[in-house]
Every structure is written in structure tokens, then in C-alpha cells.
Amino acid sequence: MLEIQRLAAHSVNRVLTGRNLNQALQEVWRTHPALAAGERAAIQNVAYGTLRQLGLLRGILDQLLEHPLVDEQLRCLLLIALYQLQFSQAAPYAVVDHAVETARALGHGRAGGLVNAVLRNFLRRREALIAVAQSTASGRYSYPQWWIDRLRAQQPVDWQAILDAGNQHPPLTLRVNRRAIARDDYLARLTRERIAARAVGAAGVMLETPLPVDRIPGFADGQVSVQDAGAQLAAPLLDVRDGMRVLDACAAPGGKTAHILECADVDVLAVDSDAQRLARVADNLARLGLAARTLCADAGALAEWWDGAPFDRILLDAPCSASGVVRRHPDIKWLRRARDVAGFAERQACMLDALWQALGRDGKLLYATCSVFAEENQSVVSAFLSRQPDAQPLAAPGLLLPDANHDGFYYALLHKP
């Protein structure tokens, strides 16, 4: 537990100083290659859980400290330990004792007494401390106040459910590759291997208990991919048919690219500005036995890459706040700032205007985000329609609120007659 607490605290501290959690954890894996798979999983689980419940944990810790802690690493260690005491199955005495030792290992020998006193005080006063912490909105929901205020204004009926959904563990949903196996046949295989699952959507399978990808039957053979049920709506909405020329803008890591190719024999160009993430598109397609052209470029900068030949279908999975997928990426809640949403909306509008030029007549463009904020969704599309008189909206789901079956997404399907 010493290493788990130390490295989880380090990862959370990196997030709170501006790094995303995935980068922080990858850094830990690189610098500690001897960590066993179980240790990696424990570090990841504690770091994720602490960030999911950070508002509550901060509210508790602030009551327990007589003076603010200057050392952020020590503060993160206390947050980690509080998370373990409240939300894990670890023995309380072990959490406290190891936190004291971890503080000493971090070079805070004299802080051992403080760590011991804070954590044991929490155990004695747990209910009262939690009640006070939850008396504030940030403590109750574990989101920044600006995020709570924005959702409350935009979703007056569902804002609480949206916030609560973002603090749950996400489901593990698979997309069955119809070119490799029928969904019913795959479900039968899971039944034979005593893995509980159910069908979801047109091609999805949700596992009752999440598994590592190396233990998912058929994953290595390209029979299935991991993809949220909400994200699986994109390819069917795009309505691709054999022989079409298709652009997947902002394609990485390639889940939607692959799904498009599973649906029809089409010529796909997958564009993304991040070379490392674009490499994952090629890797995912190779595993599935599919092929597409890939290009590292800014999809919105047409002059830099477009050959002038129009596309029949365009998927714009636009860069966004990712506010609809925070249960998978809880660091987003604490890395985003209120002003960031307007910046994303401006970028989305520019990309939409640019890519509309590359869409052929009678073509369809699907605008998608994994955001629940109106500024990035309805507002962007409404403004675009006012600027483009030749754009016609078609039936699409609009805003999908996060729930037990899928994350939060937004879809708008636009037709160029």
C-alpha cells in the first residue's frame, strides 16, 4: 500500500498542477516498470476515485486542518487516504499506518504525526464531517461551482442526475464487428465462457462485470472493440453506403472510423492533428482487419490538405470540453475552466464552416461532441444554420444525457441538398 498511496498521490498532484490523468499515470508506468499489474490497477483505481470525489474530500480535509497545507504532495496524500477510508475496502488501520509511513518516505518525517491525527480524527467524526462537506454544492456533487451552476441553468430538470452520473463507474460496452461475427453469436460465446452480458443498441454488448481487454473474448482477433453505446450511434447516423467517399475529421483513436468501415465498403480518410493518437487509428484498424487512409493535419485547415474532391459523408467529432464523459476522465472536471467552453465553441464553429465546403451535394455531415454544455452543441449548430442557408437539419438524437447505458453525447445531422 505504501507504493500505491505514494504513486496515486503523485498522479493526483500532477493533475492538480495541469497534467491530464492518463499522462500522469503513463509517466508512473514508465518510471516504475517493475510494478505488477495488480499494483497498477490499484494505483489507477485510487487516483480515479479520488478525482471523482475530490470536492467532497477537499471539504472534509479543510475541516480537519487547523492551517492550510503548503506542501501539495502531502495534501494529495491525505486526500488519497481519505478516499481509501471512505470508499475502499482497505482496513482503516492499514490505510492510516501506511499513510504515516508514506509521508515519511516522501521526506515529511515530522508530518507523520499530522497525518495520523487527521486520519484518525476523520474516523472518529466521519458522519459529521461528511454532512458539513456536503452542505456545499461542490462538496455534494464533487464538481467545480461554475460547472454546477451552468448545468443547473441549462438543464433545470436533469442537472442533478447528470452530475451524479458523472461520478459513477462507467459501464464496459463492446461493439461487435459485424464483418467478423454476428452479435447473437458473440453473446452465445460469452454465455459459453460464463461472462454475463446483454445486448445494447444495434451492435453493442455491455458486460455485467468489466474485464481487462486482454481477457475479453475475441478482442485480440478483431471480433469486438471497446466503445460506449452512445458513441456507437455515430456510424449508423452517418448513413454510409458502399462506394462512398467519407471523411472522419478528428478521428483518433479510431473507434468511429472502424465502425464506419464495419458498416459499408467505403473510402475513408481519417484526419487528426495528433500524430501519436493517429497511430492508434492504424493500430485499431489493423486489429479489426480494416483499412483507411490516415492523415496528420488540422481538419479545419482545408487549404493544407484537401484535394478539392467532395466527400459524400463527413463525421465531425469536434474537439470539446468532454463534459459528457467525466466518469471515464474525472480529471476533466478539475482541469477545465469556465472560459474554456467558449473557446471550444469558437473552434467548433470554425471547423463546421470549413468542412461544410468539403461536403458534396446531397451529402450529409454529422456534427458530434461528447459535451453536455449547450454552448458546444445546440448553440453551435443553430448559429451555423443561420450562416448556411443551404444546410438542412435532419432527424438526430440531439443531446444524450449520461445514464447507466451510455455517456453524454450530442448529435446533429446536416444535409446539403
Side-chain angles (χ1 to χ4, degrees), residues 6 17 31 91 137 168-169 210 252 266 270 272:
R6 184 175 72 84
T17 55
T31 55
Q168 304 304 310
H169 287 273
V266 292
D272 201 276

Side-chain angles (χ1 to χ4, degrees), residues 267-281:
D267 174 20
V268 175
L269 175 61
V271 178
D272 201 276
S273 60
D274 187 323
Q276 287 187 324
R277 298 187 75 237
L278 188 64
R280 293 177 59 192
V281 177

Side-chain angles (χ1 to χ4, degrees), residues 109-351:
R110 289 184 295 179
L114 171 67
V115 170
N116 183 70
V118 165
L119 298 181
R120 293 193 182 281
N121 197 6
F122 169 72
L123 291 172
R124 287 191 300 269
R125 302 168 51 205
R126 185 195 307 249
E127 291 185 9
L129 292 165
I130 291 174
V132 172
Q134 290 185 334
S135 66
T136 68
S138 185
R140 160 65 178 86
Y141 297 105
S142 279
Y143 287 80
Q145 189 63 50
W146 71 264
W147 192 305
I148 297 169
D149 293 341
R150 183 164 299 196
L151 273 185
R152 183 161 27 199
Q154 295 179 0
Q155 299 290 336
V157 175
D158 297 307
W159 66 275
Q160 293 170 299
I162 296 169
L163 295 172
D164 285 338
N167 287 332
Q168 304 304 310
H169 287 273
L172 179 57
T173 306
L174 308 175
R175 184 190 72 249
V176 178
N177 179 2
R178 67 175 69 180
R179 293 183 180 272
I181 188 172
R183 182 172 63 178
D184 286 348
D185 293 337
Y186 184 74
L187 282 168
R189 176 180 179 178
L190 294 181
T191 300
R192 291 194 299 272
E193 300 192 29
R194 297 183 178 181
I195 297 174
R198 63 180 177 87
V200 58
V205 170
M206 185 178 294
L207 301 188
E208 184 175 298
T209 302
L211 293 172
V213 291
D214 59 356
R215 292 176 52 198
I216 295 175
F219 181 86
D221 301 329
Q223 291 186 344
V224 293
S225 299
V226 177
Q227 188 180 41
D228 183 79
Q232 291 184 33
L233 295 176
L237 281 169
L238 202 56
D239 184 32
V240 293
R241 295 191 291 275
D242 290 354
M244 284 186 168
R245 175 176 160 90
V246 180
L247 171 66
D248 185 357
C250 312
K256 296 181 181 69
T257 308
H259 197 187
I260 290 169
L261 289 163
E262 291 169 5
C263 290
D265 293 319
V266 292
D267 174 20
V268 175
L269 175 61
V271 178
D272 201 276
S273 60
D274 187 323
Q276 287 187 324
R277 298 187 75 237
L278 188 64
R280 293 177 59 192
V281 177
D283 292 342
N284 284 324
L285 293 178
R287 179 180 60 80
L288 294 164
L290 303 169
R293 293 174 294 131
T294 60
L295 177 67
C296 186
D298 177 353
L302 292 184
E304 297 179 6
W305 62 270
W306 185 41
D307 61 5
F311 293 94
D312 301 297
R313 298 288 187 269
I314 295 177
L315 170 60
L316 173 54
D317 191 2
C320 69
S321 65
S323 52
V325 295
V326 290
R327 61 185 173 186
R328 299 184 189 278
H329 306 283
D331 50 319
I332 287 171
K333 295 190 291 185
W334 312 108
L335 292 173
R336 293 283 181 261
R337 299 293 179 265
R339 62 180 179 273
D340 295 340
V341 178
F344 280 117
E346 182 178 353
R347 173 68 174 144
Q348 291 152 1
C350 290
M351 295 190 75

